[in-house]
Amino acid sequence: MKLQDAKFEKQDSQSNPFAIQLDEPMQNIAAPGVCEMKPYLGEDSRWYSTQPGG
Amino acid sequence: MIKANVAFSDLQQPPEWRNDALFFGESQIAPYRHCAVETIVVRMQGQWFATVRERCRDVEWDKGDAGALVDADRFNQLYKEALLWPLDYLMIEVAQAGCRLKLRAGLLGSAPVYCRVTDDAVEISYDLADFFSRPTTIDLEMASRRLALNADYSARQLCSGVLMLTERATLYAEPGKSRYVYPSPAETISPSEEALIDHGVERFEQLLHRAISIRPTPKRMAVELSGGMDSATVACALAQSHENIISLGVLLDDGYSQLQAERRRMLIEKLGLRDTAVNIDSFPPTLDLQPSASRPDYPLAEFYLEAFENLWDSARTQGSEFLFTGLGGDQLFPAYRNEERSAGGKSDIVVAEAKRRAELLLTPRALNSSCSISGFDAPVGPLSASVLASSMCQAPHLLRRGLWPINPLSDPHLASFCRRLPLQSRKDRETMWRYLRAKLGEIFPRSYCKETFAHVLPELIAHHAKTITTQLRDCALADLGLVNRDAVLQLLDELVVTRARALTAPLISFLWLERFVRQIA
């Protein structure tokens, strides 16, 4: 079974006749990356180092 | 089912139900106000969801939790129940951490869900016209496909940046990001090869009755009654359990209408309906290319909208809040590929010629765009895409009038049953025909030929050809580089002479889109 298929409940003629995808509610904690800045020129880490110079 | 303006930053605040809408900060979610629709809000710490859905008689829902804080287990249980709601719904889920929002559509497509996500807000509406007040650009690839008569049921629509949440689809949105997820395709249905003694009429009747009775009984309702089998089937089933039914019909003009009028008269008499009918000649489609200031134009619209609007207004004036239609009847008894019973038929030839003529209007780059299949179509669902697209066209006009659409022949259980019928029961809608004969007698003869308005538009276009030519001195779609204006005028001239159906579809598709594009230009 593909990983994606594992998320789908098996078709159940009584309670889920059309195999509606029963996904879970969203995670209550902020997903990683939510607060990250988009890389603007000058702020992108490829263009400058945040590591202290040594 | 909703109109909403949500700023992500407001999602950190708890929702408050006030004046039939949910408020949080400056944002609000306004469910469509109608007795057919209910809104449930379920909250837990840091998270909540609201589901706006059709009321259902079959499912008990403990309303004790509505609005109160529940624990995670109860939240998950109610969430799952909301997803499995047997009628149509739209769910909005919010996680306060990260200001995230998730939209999820049900499978019936009763009302379209359009949404526009920006870096800091989400705008949602069932009425596309709500997005026209801001500067809008046209998606040229979608416009090219529309002009080439390639219909799409997809998240991508004609206005750039405005997505349509197709059936069962999900939209995730958070500040600066959004993600659209189509559902898995519905299971493929195979027809039975075993003949049924009664052609499945008894089960057909049970499922039809369920499709009508699953919603709470309205006091006043209207049913479209064209004189054809689909709407007659709905009217017949409705009349078994309801009274005070208003029937609505658009009549063909003189010379075409005698048989239609006679069948309608018999149906009205047998079922005890109160009828309102208008003649198509009295409310012809407008061909004026100048956008109206008072009435928005839509990129996809019912061809005979003016006549239907008159009827819908009449139904509303008579107190109806529900409109039952025969939508979905054409898709109930499909022919499968290995059956190919109509391949090479007259209608196939007309369709192929219409597409060929449509492509002749396009510039090389529009033709190229129209041919590419970008893979953005919604996957196959329990209901056919053409049913969902028709519903999408009609619903905003009905909802604006306070009419809730119910299409019993689009019920997924009924559709699933009918698609599985053996060929001899699907052919010429045998099961439906037998149901009607058992209930109403011999109203529909075996040789019954469905009426069509196909002759109306060629005549009308010919009548207004000079005005159309004058208005096309400037052509917005040509300015966008999509059509060749001279090819359009040539098609118009040819239609005036021949009145051929195969020329009408590409020309009307062009005229409707031209008017729409002028409106937002």
Side-chain angles (χ1 to χ4, degrees), chain B residues 5-12 24 26-28 99 120-122:
Chain B
N5 282 290
V6 176
F8 289 121
S9 56
D10 286 337
L11 293 178
Q12 287 176 332
F24 37 102
E26 299 293 314
S27 301
Q28 69 161 303
C99 299
D120 47 16
V122 183

Side-chain angles (χ1 to χ4, degrees), chain B residues 99-115:
Chain B
C99 299
R100 289 164 294 144
L101 180 143
K102 178 174 159 189
L103 274 180
R104 166 93 183 240
L107 60 79
L108 299 186
S110 302
V113 185
Y114 296 104
C115 33

Side-chain angles (χ1 to χ4, degrees), chain B residues 134-374:
Chain B
R134 294 191 189 163
T136 307
T137 56
I138 293 292
D139 183 328
L140 297 184
E141 186 178 5
M142 295 304 283
S144 302
R145 288 184 61 78
R146 183 70 53 80
L147 286 165
L149 306 182
N150 292 326
D152 292 296
Y153 178 68
S154 66
R156 250 176 94 180
Q157 293 286 305
L158 265 175
C159 298
S160 306
V162 180
L163 293 169
M164 186 174 75
L165 201 64
T166 54
E167 60 88 28
R168 297 179 296 140
T170 309
L171 177 81
Y172 297 85
E174 60 188 88
K177 281 185 189 172
S178 72
R179 184 162 61 94
Y180 190 100
V181 183
Y182 276 135
S184 284
E187 190 191 4
T188 307
I189 290 176
S190 304
S192 164
E193 292 180 359
E194 285 180 34
L196 299 172
I197 295 167
D198 71 338
H199 286 275
V201 171
E202 190 180 339
R203 185 69 181 140
F204 178 85
E205 182 176 355
Q206 285 170 356
L207 288 168
L208 182 60
H209 178 74
R210 180 189 172 276
I212 282 176
S213 61
I214 190 169
R215 295 169 178 87
T217 308
K219 285 185 189 142
R220 286 270 173 94
M221 72 211 81
V223 60
E224 289 182 350
L225 193 72
S226 66
M229 288 211 298
D230 297 340
S231 58
T233 299
V234 173
C236 182
L238 207 51
Q240 306 289 311
S241 49
H242 297 81
E243 294 177 339
N244 282 325
I245 303 169
I246 298 163
S247 57
L248 308 171
V250 179
L251 302 179
L252 295 157
D253 44 354
D254 293 341
Y256 295 90
S257 65
Q258 200 179 344
L259 287 174
Q260 179 202 23
E262 178 59 15
R263 274 200 307 276
R264 289 189 84 253
R265 187 192 62 72
M266 287 193 280
L267 289 165
I268 290 160
E269 196 177 291
K270 284 193 184 255
L271 300 174
L273 309 173
R274 288 188 295 124
D275 192 49
T276 300
V278 296
N279 198 305
I280 188 69
D281 281 351
S282 308
F283 299 95
T286 177
L287 295 174
D288 188 357
L289 290 177
Q290 298 311 324
S292 160
S294 60
R295 161 195 168 101
D297 279 299
Y298 293 81
L300 265 178
E302 165 72 54
F303 274 2
Y304 309 101
L305 184 62
E306 287 79 355
F308 281 105
E309 284 190 313
N310 186 274
L311 286 174
W312 297 335
D313 284 338
S314 169
R316 197 69 191 93
T317 307
Q318 294 177 69
S320 291
E321 291 178 295
F322 292 80
L323 179 74
F324 287 78
T325 81
L327 188 69
D330 284 337
Q331 291 78 14
L332 267 188
F333 303 98
Y336 290 87
R337 278 181 190 162
N338 59 340
E339 297 165 356
E340 298 288 350
R341 63 183 189 241
S342 63
K346 195 178 169 191
S347 64
D348 288 342
I349 295 168
V350 171
V351 169
E353 176 62 5
K355 281 183 74 68
R356 189 184 74 81
R357 298 305 304 251
E359 289 178 358
L360 290 176
L361 302 181
L362 301 180
T363 59
R365 68 170 164 172
L367 182 60
N368 199 33
S369 282
S370 76
C371 293
S372 60
I373 298 173
S374 306

Side-chain angles (χ1 to χ4, degrees), chain A residues 1-53:
Chain A
M1 184 189 281
K2 287 182 199 165
L3 190 61
Q4 191 187 14
D5 292 339
K7 289 194 298 189
F8 300 96
E9 297 251 328
K10 276 194 116 181
Q11 182 153 345
D12 172 351
S13 60
Q14 287 299 310
S15 64
N16 192 1
F18 300 103
I20 297 294
Q21 186 180 327
L22 295 175
D23 47 0
E24 299 289 318
M26 287 188 285
Q27 290 289 314
N28 199 8
I29 51 170
V34 163
C35 298
E36 81 182 345
M37 292 288 290
K38 286 187 174 178
Y40 298 104
L41 193 66
E43 291 178 329
D44 188 332
S45 58
R46 287 175 297 174
W47 302 106
Y48 69 101
S49 170
T50 54
Q51 298 296 317

